[in-house]
Amino acid sequence: MADGPAFHRLGVDLRRTQLLELGERLFTTHAYTELSMSAIAREAGISKALLYHYFPSKQAYFEATLHNAVEDLRVRTAPDPSLAPAVQLQRSLDAYLAWIEEHADAYTHLLRTAREVAEVRALVEGVRQSTAARILQALPGDPPPAARTAVRGWLWFMDGACLDWIEERDVDREALRELLLGTLAGALLAAGARLPDVDPDT
Amino acid sequence: MADGPAFHRLGVDLRRTQLLELGERLFTTHAYTELSMSAIAREAGISKALLYHYFPSKQAYFEATLHNAVEDLRVRTAPDPSLAPAVQLQRSLDAYLAWIEEHADAYTHLLRTAREVAEVRALVEGVRQSTAARILQALPGDPPPAARTAVRGWLWFMDGACLDWIEERDVDREALRELLLGTLAGALLAAGARLPDVDPDT
């Protein structure tokens, strides 16, 4: 067998990736307290010992699953700096909403868990803060303090609107995106801030 | 002593009111698990037996305190139906923001507790739903489904913006009110809804 270190390494990474995908399904369809490492190993079709080899505890497994989902979201919504700020935001929003559509259960579960688990709350809050900073940096001139309030409020708006969207399923993704963009523009103008130009050449 | 039933009744109500005011202070300055009925009785300057006479358990005391605060908020923000919808909303918002300024600790504590305690979450969600229904009813014509998404999102925006406002204290109450009203108008327009007229005679 040509099972050298490189091949073995790939096997380990693949297994870890599969376990993280399984984790997303398990943690969004079961309550955290309901799941045991035995049940997880059984679902994965591996021994409990092997599962512990990858993740030292259920909490570590949960956190790795969560970070994996957030990292996936972060990569997919990363803005393209060669585009104008308004276009970057539109593209990022598209990717964000597509991710939510694909992972509706995980998304609602994430927001629900964020209420209950301090670590998840810190993660969600961290994503909110970096997004807020990115939007504020793209504003021309010297935005007033109320612009910060507007952007932070808007990130809450997004969560509330997305939860409604997933629950009711009677609004197109494009309509939701336009609602989000229009609301942000309205909030920034009401805060006395100037909007960035949509033309990438200015 | 002319301590008849009516006087005695007043005494009971007064004491209960005082205990609820004390409760707001205690529950917003201490973690729920830290407080004991003995400590509460000591703070109130009454016997533990008398405290239990008013509230059968710490949870009952906490819930009564919470309902008292929410009821206070509800009464103070109740709209005046003789005014135009837009003016009603402006007045209610003024009263809401004034309440938050007065009860900043209680407000942040309420939102934090809402994450952790299902009963509080249900209460906050109930307030959001009745407010959303009130706003949607005031819209002329037949608003599209996205108007519901916009209003529900905006109620989240309010919480996020108010938390930012309390934390940073660099935005006037009037500026925040205008930000909230402008954002709602922007969101409703972006959702394809028509806005109610500000003139009460139309």
Side-chain angles (χ1 to χ4, degrees), chain B residues 55-123:
Chain B
F55 304 103
S57 66
K58 185 173 74 169
Q59 195 188 333
Y61 182 45
F62 174 68
E63 285 173 10
T65 297
L66 190 67
H67 280 279
N68 187 55
V70 170
E71 182 59 18
D72 178 33
L73 181 61
R74 201 188 60 70
V75 169
R76 285 174 57 173
T77 61
D80 176 351
S82 72
L83 300 170
V87 181
Q88 286 182 35
L89 181 63
Q90 187 185 322
R91 297 274 174 90
S92 291
L93 265 182
D94 268 334
Y96 183 68
L97 298 181
W99 187 90
I100 292 178
E101 260 189 336
E102 271 174 46
H103 301 80
D105 289 341
Y107 175 75
T108 48
H109 192 77
L110 185 72
L111 282 189
R112 197 166 52 229
T113 317
R115 295 170 178 149
E116 290 152 18
V117 184
E119 217 252 344
V120 183
R121 195 153 61 236
L123 200 74

Side-chain angles (χ1 to χ4, degrees), chain A residues 52-120:
Chain A
Y52 272 108
H53 171 72
Y54 285 95
F55 304 102
S57 66
K58 185 174 73 166
Q59 195 188 334
Y61 181 45
F62 174 69
E63 285 173 9
T65 297
L66 190 68
H67 280 278
N68 187 55
V70 170
E71 181 59 18
D72 177 33
L73 181 61
R74 199 188 62 72
V75 168
R76 286 174 58 172
T77 61
D80 176 349
S82 71
L83 300 169
V87 181
Q88 287 182 33
L89 181 62
Q90 186 185 323
R91 298 272 175 91
S92 291
L93 265 183
D94 269 334
Y96 183 68
L97 298 181
W99 186 90
I100 292 179
E101 259 188 339
E102 272 174 46
H103 300 81
D105 289 342
Y107 174 75
T108 47
H109 192 77
L110 184 72
L111 281 190
R112 198 165 49 229
T113 316
R115 294 170 181 150
E116 290 151 18
V117 184
E119 217 253 345
V120 182

Side-chain angles (χ1 to χ4, degrees), chain A residues 12-60:
Chain A
V12 167
D13 283 355
L14 257 179
R15 170 90 75 187
R16 197 182 138 85
T17 303
Q18 284 169 349
L19 283 172
L20 292 176
E21 281 166 10
L22 174 70
E24 186 187 315
R25 185 166 65 74
L26 289 180
F27 285 117
T28 51
T29 50
H30 296 78
Y32 180 79
T33 46
E34 264 176 28
L35 283 170
S36 65
M37 286 297 262
S38 306
I40 295 164
R42 206 160 48 236
E43 283 285 331
I46 60 175
S47 72
K48 205 168 145 183
L50 187 55
L51 177 60
Y52 272 108
H53 171 72
Y54 285 95
F55 304 102
S57 66
K58 185 174 73 166
Q59 195 188 334

